[in-house]
Amino acid sequence: MIDDDLVFKALADRTRRQLLDRLFDRDGRTLTELESEFAMTRFGVMRHLRVLEEANLIVTRRLGRKKLHFLNPIPIRLIHDRWIDKYRARRAKALAELKRELEEEAR
Amino acid sequence: MIDDDLVFKALADRTRRQLLDRLFDRDGRTLTELESEFAMTRFGVMRHLRVLEEANLIVTRRLGRKKLHFLNPIPIRLIHDRWIDKYRARRAKALAELKRELEEEAR
DNA sequence: ATGATATGTGACTAAATCATCACCTGTCAA
DNA sequence: TTGACAGGTGATGATTTAGTCACATATCAT
């Protein structure tokens, strides 16, 4: 079950978005591995991971004393579908790509 | 310019998401029109609209003493692109559709 | 077995956020 | 021109949230 409020509240924090970035880059990381990349205590990172898990943005699997974290793309897709219909999708995609190109050019 | 933090903070509030829903349903509404659909004071709704506008999730156009509000799909598209690559997009889309079908069936 | 490793919990403080209020400015229609 | 309408501002109180801490449990390697 996907709860709107949990998903969006989870995404509202910068640290949690960065955690998703890390997992997008490579899945299956442990808490300790993730924690080492942040200037925050382990407890802070753990709390954030828990919020992400409760929002179903990540799923976990235990492996011995380790806990592996994986990105779940479904809630993100649902956000997209909520406010972008088929017509808009094409236009939004084209504009987003244009935006990226312009920003690359500006460097 | 699109600021991550503004976008996600804007989306974190349920009222603001409902405002986007209204505009997704039909663009070009005025403040007064939107306000009448919420159990909140006009000031509250106005404040939320302002947050959405600052996050670039809506764009506005003045027409006399009226201010028309339009949905901007680009930030939503960028959220999608941030955590869903081409491979995942197909899978996430299929799963999201499956999820919707199952929920319809459950009725 | 035992020390090191990996993850987990409840309580506390500081900071951010929501909703409301009284009051203000600009535009329209007759 | 005048009254009604549409939108706008800054300050305030109540609620929520982020980050930290001391302390706890479970698993591994030797």
Side-chain angles (χ1 to χ4, degrees):
Chain A
M1 180 57 192
I2 290 182
D3 182 333
D4 273 316
D5 227 50
L6 289 180
V7 172
F8 287 103
K9 289 240 162 66
L11 291 173
D13 184 86
R14 166 160 279 149
T15 302
R16 286 197 286 268
R17 294 197 298 275
Q18 289 175 344
L19 280 167
L20 291 183
D21 287 339
R22 293 275 174 273
L23 293 179
F24 178 65
D25 186 48
R26 182 168 56 76
D27 263 328
R29 299 188 197 241
T30 65
L31 164 62
T32 311
E33 195 179 348
L34 289 165
E35 177 243 321
S36 67
E37 304 186 40
F38 289 83
M40 193 184 302
T41 63
R42 181 170 59 84
F43 309 98
V45 175
M46 186 159 52
R47 197 158 194 66
H48 285 306
L49 284 172
R50 187 176 163 195
V51 173
L52 288 170
E53 188 173 5
E54 284 173 351
N56 244 295
L57 281 160
I58 61 178
V59 291
T60 60
R61 212 176 74 217
R62 305 217 52 132
L63 197 69
R65 64 180 157 177
K66 292 183 179 180
K67 188 175 182 184
L68 310 182
H69 299 78
F70 301 87
L71 188 63
N72 177 20
I74 299 183
I76 306 292
R77 175 73 203 192
L78 291 177
I79 292 175
H80 173 275
D81 291 354
R82 178 168 181 175
W83 291 303
I84 300 194
D85 56 29
K86 279 168 191 159
Y87 165 70
R88 259 184 253 236
R90 220 191 309 266
R91 206 169 56 105
K93 185 183 181 192
L95 286 173
E97 277 165 4
L98 176 63
K99 177 180 180 298
R100 185 163 35 220
E101 279 172 31
L102 290 176
E103 283 174 356
E104 298 235 338
E105 226 169 66
R107 269 173 220 156
Chain B
M1 180 57 191
I2 289 183
D3 181 334
D4 273 316
D5 227 48
L6 289 180
V7 172
F8 287 104
K9 289 239 161 66
L11 290 174
D13 183 86
R14 166 159 278 149
T15 302
R16 288 197 284 269
R17 294 196 298 275
Q18 290 174 343
L19 281 168
L20 291 183
D21 287 338
R22 293 274 174 273
L23 293 179
F24 179 65
D25 186 51
R26 182 168 57 75
D27 264 325
R29 300 189 197 240
T30 64
L31 164 61
T32 312
E33 194 179 347
L34 288 165
E35 176 244 321
S36 68
E37 305 185 40
F38 288 84
M40 194 185 299
T41 63
R42 181 169 58 83
F43 309 98
V45 174
M46 187 159 51
R47 197 157 195 66
H48 285 306
L49 284 173
R50 187 177 163 196
V51 173
L52 287 170
E53 188 173 3
E54 285 173 351
N56 245 296
L57 281 159
I58 62 178
V59 291
T60 59
R61 213 176 72 217
R62 304 216 54 129
L63 198 69
R65 65 178 157 177
K66 293 184 178 177
K67 189 176 183 184
L68 308 181
H69 299 78
F70 301 87
L71 188 63
N72 178 19
I74 299 181
I76 306 293
R77 175 74 203 191
L78 291 177
I79 291 176
H80 172 275
D81 291 353
R82 177 168 180 175
W83 290 304
I84 301 196
D85 55 29
K86 278 166 192 161
Y87 165 70
R88 259 185 253 237
R90 219 191 308 267
R91 206 168 57 105
K93 185 182 180 192
L95 286 174
E97 277 164 3
L98 176 63
K99 177 179 181 298
R100 185 164 37 221
E101 279 171 31
L102 289 176
E103 283 173 355
E104 298 235 338
E105 229 171 64
R107 270 175 218 154

